[in-house]
Amino acid sequence: MPELPEVEVVRRGVARWVVERTVESVEVVDPRSLRRHTDGPEDFRRELTGLTVVNACRRGKFLWLPVRAADGSEPSRALLVHLGMSGQLLVASPEQPRSRHERIRLELSPALDESGQPLPEQLRFVDQRIFGGMLLDRLVPASDGHGTVPEHAVHIARDPLDPLFDVAAFHAALRRRRTGLKRALLDQGLISGIGNIYADEALWAARLHWAAPTETMTAPRTYTLVAACQEVMRRALDAGGTSFDSLYVNVNGESGRNTLNVYGREGHPCERCGTPIVRERFMNRSSHICPRCQRRC
Protein backbone atom coordinates (compact mmCIF):
# COMPACT_ATOMS: atom_id res chain seq x y z
CA MET A 1 0.00 0.00 0.00
CA PRO A 2 1.31 3.50 -0.78
CA GLU A 3 2.63 5.26 2.30
CA LEU A 4 3.38 8.90 3.09
CA PRO A 5 6.20 9.44 0.56
CA GLU A 6 4.24 7.92 -2.32
CA VAL A 7 1.13 9.99 -1.50
CA GLU A 8 3.24 13.14 -1.05
CA VAL A 9 4.80 12.61 -4.49
CA VAL A 10 1.27 12.46 -5.94
CA ARG A 11 0.24 15.55 -3.95
CA ARG A 12 3.14 17.55 -5.34
CA GLY A 13 2.23 16.55 -8.87
CA VAL A 14 -1.41 17.52 -8.36
CA ALA A 15 -0.32 20.84 -6.84
CA ARG A 16 1.73 21.57 -9.96
CA TRP A 17 -0.73 20.41 -12.62
CA VAL A 18 -4.25 20.80 -11.19
CA VAL A 19 -4.43 23.65 -8.64
CA GLU A 20 -6.34 26.75 -9.86
CA ARG A 21 -8.12 24.75 -12.54
CA THR A 22 -11.87 24.29 -12.73
CA VAL A 23 -13.59 20.93 -13.04
CA GLU A 24 -15.57 21.31 -16.27
CA SER A 25 -17.11 17.86 -16.30
CA VAL A 26 -17.02 14.56 -14.43
CA GLU A 27 -17.27 11.04 -15.84
CA VAL A 28 -17.91 8.22 -13.40
CA VAL A 29 -16.72 5.04 -15.11
CA ASP A 30 -17.16 2.78 -12.07
CA PRO A 31 -19.51 3.85 -9.24
CA ARG A 32 -17.72 1.54 -6.81
CA SER A 33 -14.99 4.15 -6.49
CA LEU A 34 -17.62 6.53 -5.08
CA ARG A 35 -18.97 4.22 -2.38
CA ARG A 36 -17.81 6.69 0.29
CA HIS A 37 -19.82 9.45 -1.43
CA THR A 38 -23.11 8.26 -0.03
CA ASP A 39 -25.28 10.64 -2.11
CA GLY A 40 -24.32 8.70 -5.23
CA PRO A 41 -22.57 9.29 -8.57
CA GLU A 42 -25.08 11.78 -9.96
CA ASP A 43 -24.74 14.02 -6.90
CA PHE A 44 -20.94 13.74 -7.16
CA ARG A 45 -21.03 14.83 -10.81
CA ARG A 46 -23.43 17.69 -10.19
CA GLU A 47 -21.74 19.05 -7.07
CA LEU A 48 -18.14 18.81 -8.30
CA THR A 49 -18.70 20.27 -11.78
CA GLY A 50 -17.86 23.99 -11.84
CA LEU A 51 -15.72 23.94 -8.69
CA THR A 52 -12.11 25.15 -8.78
CA VAL A 53 -9.25 23.30 -7.08
CA VAL A 54 -7.42 25.79 -4.84
CA ASN A 55 -4.86 23.59 -3.09
CA ALA A 56 -3.52 20.05 -2.73
CA CYS A 57 -3.25 18.88 0.88
CA ARG A 58 -2.19 15.69 2.62
CA ARG A 59 -2.22 14.18 6.07
CA GLY A 60 -0.57 10.79 6.30
CA LYS A 61 -1.94 8.71 3.41
CA PHE A 62 -5.00 10.95 2.92
CA LEU A 63 -4.97 13.44 0.05
CA TRP A 64 -7.54 16.16 -0.51
CA LEU A 65 -8.15 19.05 -2.87
CA PRO A 66 -10.05 22.00 -1.34
CA VAL A 67 -12.47 23.43 -3.89
CA ARG A 68 -14.25 26.77 -4.18
CA ALA A 69 -17.42 27.71 -5.97
CA ALA A 70 -17.62 30.16 -8.86
CA ASP A 71 -18.60 32.98 -6.47
CA GLY A 72 -15.05 32.97 -5.06
CA SER A 73 -16.11 32.14 -1.50
CA GLU A 74 -13.74 30.37 0.89
CA PRO A 75 -13.61 26.59 0.31
CA SER A 76 -16.01 24.68 2.53
CA ARG A 77 -15.58 21.32 0.81
CA ALA A 78 -12.76 19.22 -0.57
CA LEU A 79 -12.33 16.36 -3.01
CA LEU A 80 -10.99 13.66 -0.71
CA VAL A 81 -8.93 10.96 -2.42
CA HIS A 82 -7.85 7.71 -0.83
CA LEU A 83 -5.47 5.68 -2.98
CA GLY A 84 -6.13 2.44 -1.11
CA MET A 85 -3.77 -0.32 -2.25
CA SER A 86 -3.59 0.45 -5.95
CA GLY A 87 -5.09 3.89 -6.60
CA GLN A 88 -3.39 6.35 -8.97
CA LEU A 89 -4.10 9.96 -9.86
CA LEU A 90 -2.83 10.60 -13.39
CA VAL A 91 -2.85 13.75 -15.50
CA ALA A 92 -3.51 12.94 -19.15
CA SER A 93 -4.56 14.36 -22.49
CA PRO A 94 -7.71 13.13 -24.28
CA GLU A 95 -5.71 11.29 -26.94
CA GLN A 96 -3.98 9.09 -24.37
CA PRO A 97 -5.52 5.60 -24.17
CA ARG A 98 -7.97 4.88 -21.39
CA SER A 99 -6.71 2.41 -18.80
CA ARG A 100 -9.00 -0.56 -18.27
CA HIS A 101 -8.78 0.26 -14.54
CA GLU A 102 -9.84 3.90 -14.93
CA ARG A 103 -12.70 4.63 -12.52
CA ILE A 104 -13.28 8.41 -12.56
CA ARG A 105 -12.28 11.12 -15.04
CA LEU A 106 -12.29 14.88 -14.47
CA GLU A 107 -12.11 17.29 -17.40
CA LEU A 108 -10.17 20.40 -16.34
CA SER A 109 -10.20 23.96 -17.62
CA PRO A 110 -7.39 24.86 -20.06
CA ALA A 111 -4.11 26.07 -18.56
CA LEU A 112 -0.49 26.64 -19.60
CA ASP A 113 2.75 25.59 -17.93
CA GLU A 114 5.72 27.89 -17.18
CA SER A 115 6.92 27.69 -20.78
CA GLY A 116 3.52 28.47 -22.25
CA GLN A 117 2.70 24.90 -23.28
CA PRO A 118 -0.83 23.54 -22.68
CA LEU A 119 -1.24 21.38 -19.59
CA PRO A 120 -2.98 17.98 -19.81
CA GLU A 121 -6.76 18.46 -19.73
CA GLN A 122 -7.74 15.46 -17.62
CA LEU A 123 -7.24 14.10 -14.12
CA ARG A 124 -7.89 10.35 -14.09
CA PHE A 125 -8.42 8.14 -11.05
CA VAL A 126 -7.16 4.64 -11.83
CA ASP A 127 -7.58 1.84 -9.32
CA GLN A 128 -7.00 -1.80 -10.15
CA ARG A 129 -8.22 -3.27 -6.86
CA ILE A 130 -10.93 -0.67 -6.11
CA PHE A 131 -10.01 -0.29 -2.42
CA GLY A 132 -9.53 3.45 -2.88
CA GLY A 133 -11.99 6.09 -3.97
CA MET A 134 -13.15 9.68 -4.05
CA LEU A 135 -15.54 11.68 -1.92
CA LEU A 136 -16.70 15.29 -1.99
CA ASP A 137 -16.44 16.01 1.73
CA ARG A 138 -17.17 18.84 4.12
CA LEU A 139 -14.18 20.69 5.61
CA VAL A 140 -14.24 20.86 9.43
CA PRO A 141 -11.83 22.24 12.06
CA ALA A 142 -8.88 19.94 12.78
CA SER A 143 -8.98 18.21 16.17
CA ASP A 144 -5.93 20.15 17.39
CA GLY A 145 -7.46 23.49 16.39
CA HIS A 146 -5.04 24.20 13.53
CA GLY A 147 -6.66 24.56 10.12
CA THR A 148 -9.37 22.44 8.52
CA VAL A 149 -9.51 18.86 7.28
CA PRO A 150 -12.17 16.78 5.51
CA GLU A 151 -14.71 15.36 7.94
CA HIS A 152 -13.75 11.78 7.00
CA ALA A 153 -10.08 12.46 7.80
CA VAL A 154 -10.49 14.29 11.11
CA HIS A 155 -9.43 11.19 13.07
CA ILE A 156 -6.07 10.97 11.26
CA ALA A 157 -3.09 12.12 13.33
CA ARG A 158 -0.43 14.45 11.98
CA ASP A 159 2.49 12.75 10.28
CA PRO A 160 6.19 13.05 11.21
CA LEU A 161 6.92 15.49 8.35
CA ASP A 162 4.13 17.85 9.42
CA PRO A 163 5.63 21.07 10.90
CA LEU A 164 2.98 20.87 13.66
CA PHE A 165 3.80 17.26 14.63
CA ASP A 166 4.29 17.27 18.44
CA VAL A 167 7.00 14.79 19.43
CA ALA A 168 6.41 15.26 23.16
CA ALA A 169 2.69 14.56 22.79
CA PHE A 170 3.48 11.55 20.62
CA HIS A 171 5.84 10.21 23.28
CA ALA A 172 3.20 10.59 26.00
CA ALA A 173 0.60 8.82 23.84
CA LEU A 174 3.10 6.09 23.01
CA ARG A 175 3.75 5.42 26.70
CA ARG A 176 0.02 5.12 27.37
CA ARG A 177 -0.61 2.74 24.47
CA ARG A 178 0.90 -0.46 26.00
CA THR A 179 1.49 -2.35 22.78
CA GLY A 180 4.35 -3.26 20.49
CA LEU A 181 6.29 -0.43 18.86
CA LYS A 182 5.53 -1.30 15.25
CA ARG A 183 1.84 -1.79 15.96
CA ALA A 184 1.83 1.75 17.41
CA LEU A 185 3.61 3.16 14.34
CA LEU A 186 0.92 1.68 12.10
CA ASP A 187 -1.88 3.31 14.14
CA GLN A 188 -2.95 6.24 11.93
CA GLY A 189 -4.71 7.86 14.88
CA LEU A 190 -1.39 8.08 16.73
CA ILE A 191 1.02 8.95 13.93
CA SER A 192 0.00 8.90 10.28
CA GLY A 193 1.60 8.03 6.97
CA ILE A 194 3.67 5.07 8.15
CA GLY A 195 2.96 1.61 6.79
CA ASN A 196 4.72 -1.72 6.83
CA ILE A 197 7.64 -0.67 4.63
CA TYR A 198 8.69 2.53 6.34
CA ALA A 199 7.99 1.20 9.84
CA ASP A 200 10.61 -1.51 9.20
CA GLU A 201 13.02 1.03 7.72
CA ALA A 202 12.61 3.52 10.59
CA LEU A 203 12.93 0.86 13.29
CA TRP A 204 16.12 -0.42 11.65
CA ALA A 205 17.52 3.11 11.46
CA ALA A 206 16.68 3.69 15.15
CA ARG A 207 18.02 0.22 16.16
CA LEU A 208 14.71 -0.71 17.78
CA HIS A 209 12.87 -4.03 17.65
CA TRP A 210 9.33 -4.04 16.27
CA ALA A 211 7.97 -5.77 19.41
CA ALA A 212 9.56 -3.38 21.94
CA PRO A 213 6.86 -2.42 24.51
CA THR A 214 5.73 1.16 23.98
CA GLU A 215 5.37 1.74 27.74
CA THR A 216 9.14 1.26 28.16
CA MET A 217 10.07 3.94 25.63
CA THR A 218 12.17 6.76 27.05
CA ALA A 219 11.96 10.28 25.65
CA PRO A 220 15.41 10.05 23.98
CA ARG A 221 14.46 6.78 22.27
CA THR A 222 11.19 8.28 21.05
CA TYR A 223 12.98 11.33 19.66
CA THR A 224 15.47 9.01 17.95
CA LEU A 225 12.61 7.01 16.44
CA VAL A 226 10.79 10.10 15.16
CA ALA A 227 14.03 11.44 13.68
CA ALA A 228 14.51 8.07 11.95
CA CYS A 229 10.95 8.20 10.56
CA GLN A 230 11.60 11.70 9.23
CA GLU A 231 14.91 10.76 7.63
CA VAL A 232 13.48 7.62 6.02
CA MET A 233 10.52 9.57 4.64
CA ARG A 234 12.67 12.41 3.30
CA ARG A 235 15.04 10.01 1.59
CA ALA A 236 12.09 8.25 -0.04
CA LEU A 237 10.65 11.59 -1.16
CA ASP A 238 13.97 12.59 -2.75
CA ALA A 239 13.82 9.33 -4.70
CA GLY A 240 10.22 9.86 -5.79
CA GLY A 241 8.87 7.13 -3.49
CA THR A 242 9.37 3.38 -3.33
CA SER A 243 8.00 1.16 -6.08
CA PHE A 244 7.63 -2.61 -6.06
CA ASP A 245 5.38 -2.74 -9.11
CA SER A 246 3.71 -0.49 -11.66
CA LEU A 247 0.95 0.54 -9.25
CA TYR A 248 3.05 3.04 -7.29
CA VAL A 249 3.51 5.97 -9.67
CA ASN A 250 3.37 9.75 -9.71
CA VAL A 251 0.86 11.80 -11.71
CA ASN A 252 2.93 11.28 -14.86
CA GLY A 253 2.97 7.51 -14.44
CA GLU A 254 6.63 7.33 -13.33
CA SER A 255 7.80 4.91 -10.62
CA GLY A 256 9.91 5.83 -7.61
CA ARG A 257 13.51 4.68 -7.23
CA ASN A 258 14.02 4.54 -3.47
CA THR A 259 16.30 1.77 -2.17
CA LEU A 260 15.60 0.04 1.13
CA ASN A 261 17.92 -1.09 3.90
CA VAL A 262 15.86 -3.85 5.49
CA TYR A 263 12.34 -4.31 4.13
CA GLY A 264 12.17 -7.22 1.68
CA ARG A 265 15.86 -8.02 2.16
CA GLU A 266 15.59 -11.32 4.03
CA GLY A 267 18.93 -13.14 3.89
CA HIS A 268 20.87 -10.11 2.65
CA PRO A 269 23.62 -8.68 4.88
CA CYS A 270 22.72 -5.76 7.13
CA GLU A 271 24.15 -2.53 5.70
CA ARG A 272 25.56 -1.69 9.16
CA CYS A 273 26.97 -4.92 10.57
CA GLY A 274 26.73 -7.58 7.86
CA THR A 275 24.40 -9.88 9.82
CA PRO A 276 21.78 -11.49 7.55
CA ILE A 277 18.38 -9.78 7.68
CA VAL A 278 15.59 -11.98 9.00
CA ARG A 279 11.83 -11.87 8.42
CA GLU A 280 9.51 -12.39 11.38
CA ARG A 281 5.73 -12.85 11.42
CA PHE A 282 3.75 -9.78 12.46
CA MET A 283 -0.04 -9.24 12.28
CA ASN A 284 -0.51 -11.58 9.28
CA ARG A 285 2.32 -9.71 7.60
CA SER A 286 6.09 -9.61 8.05
CA SER A 287 8.68 -7.54 9.85
CA HIS A 288 12.24 -7.40 8.59
CA ILE A 289 14.99 -6.80 11.13
CA CYS A 290 18.69 -7.17 11.76
CA PRO A 291 18.88 -9.58 14.74
CA ARG A 292 22.14 -7.97 15.88
CA CYS A 293 21.28 -4.28 15.51
CA GLN A 294 17.66 -4.66 16.70
CA ARG A 295 17.76 -6.98 19.65
CA ARG A 296 14.52 -7.83 21.39
CA CYS A 297 14.62 -6.70 24.99
Side-chain angles (χ1 to χ4, degrees):
M1 180 178 289
E3 301 180 28
L4 184 156
E6 289 75 45
V7 179
E8 174 61 14
V9 167
V10 174
R11 187 204 68 79
R12 292 178 181 182
V14 172
R16 178 183 178 189
W17 298 95
V18 179
V19 168
E20 294 304 330
R21 300 179 72 180
T22 299
V23 178
E24 295 193 333
S25 67
V26 178
E27 179 184 357
V28 179
V29 182
D30 192 329
R32 290 177 295 177
S33 292
L34 288 176
R35 61 187 176 280
R36 296 175 179 87
H37 189 88
T38 55
D39 289 330
E42 188 53 44
D43 178 84
F44 182 81
R45 288 192 200 94
R46 182 177 60 253
E47 292 298 318
L48 185 56
T49 300
L51 300 183
T52 299
V53 176
V54 299
N55 202 353
C57 306
R58 180 196 52 75
R59 179 172 291 194
K61 306 173 190 179
F62 279 73
L63 171 68
W64 67 89
L65 313 180
V67 288
R68 68 164 177 258
D71 62 8
S73 57
E74 283 296 308
S76 61
R77 293 184 293 177
L79 178 61
L80 178 62
V81 183
H82 199 290
L83 299 179
M85 294 185 69
S86 60
Q88 302 169 347
L89 276 180
L90 304 174
V91 292
S93 297
E95 63 271 14
Q96 291 178 247
R98 183 192 295 268
S99 165
R100 66 190 182 97
H101 301 302
E102 182 177 328
R103 310 301 177 187
I104 299 170
R105 176 179 293 194
L106 308 184
E107 296 285 344
L108 304 173
S109 58
L112 303 177
D113 64 15
E114 298 87 347
S115 63
Q117 296 301 309
L119 291 175
E121 297 96 329
Q122 298 175 348
L123 181 66
R124 302 177 181 181
F125 180 67
V126 176
D127 190 4
Q128 178 177 326
R129 297 169 184 161
I130 322 183
F131 291 149
M134 286 182 164
L135 163 68
L136 191 58
D137 203 12
R138 188 167 64 100
L139 289 171
V140 299
S143 58
D144 60 7
H146 295 283
T148 59
V149 296
E151 190 170 21
H152 284 72
V154 74
H155 63 289
I156 302 298
R158 293 189 182 274
D159 62 65
L161 295 186
D162 192 316
L164 295 179
F165 182 80
D166 189 332
V167 184
F170 171 67
H171 172 67
L174 203 60
R175 295 268 302 184
R176 294 192 299 268
R177 194 54 55 104
R178 295 187 175 275
T179 187
L181 198 50
K182 183 174 177 179
R183 189 184 291 265
L185 288 178
L186 298 181
D187 184 344
Q188 302 300 296
L190 185 63
I191 181 172
S192 67
I194 302 173
N196 208 38
I197 298 171
Y198 296 117
D200 281 3
E201 292 293 302
L203 289 167
W204 179 84
R207 299 174 182 258
L208 294 168
H209 194 279
W210 61 267
T214 55
E215 63 268 25
T216 66
M217 288 288 286
T218 64
R221 290 173 78 194
T222 298
Y223 276 79
T224 297
L225 176 60
V226 171
C229 291
Q230 293 167 337
E231 175 58 28
V232 163
M233 298 290 189
R234 290 191 181 107
R235 187 174 69 244
L237 276 172
D238 289 342
T242 297
S243 297
F244 288 100
D245 57 40
S246 61
L247 296 179
Y248 302 156
V249 297
N250 64 18
V251 295
N252 296 313
E254 299 167 342
S255 298
R257 59 191 185 280
N258 186 42
T259 56
L260 302 172
N261 289 309
V262 62
Y263 183 87
R265 289 179 51 81
E266 180 184 10
H268 292 268
C270 172
E271 297 289 337
R272 267 194 305 254
C273 71
T275 303
I277 299 299
V278 300
R279 178 168 58 94
E280 299 180 343
R281 294 183 63 184
F282 167 77
M283 291 176 61
N284 296 319
R285 286 181 280 186
S286 299
S287 277
H288 298 81
I289 65 163
C290 170
R292 183 177 180 183
C293 295
Q294 299 167 267
R295 294 182 179 176
R296 191 165 184 162
C297 56

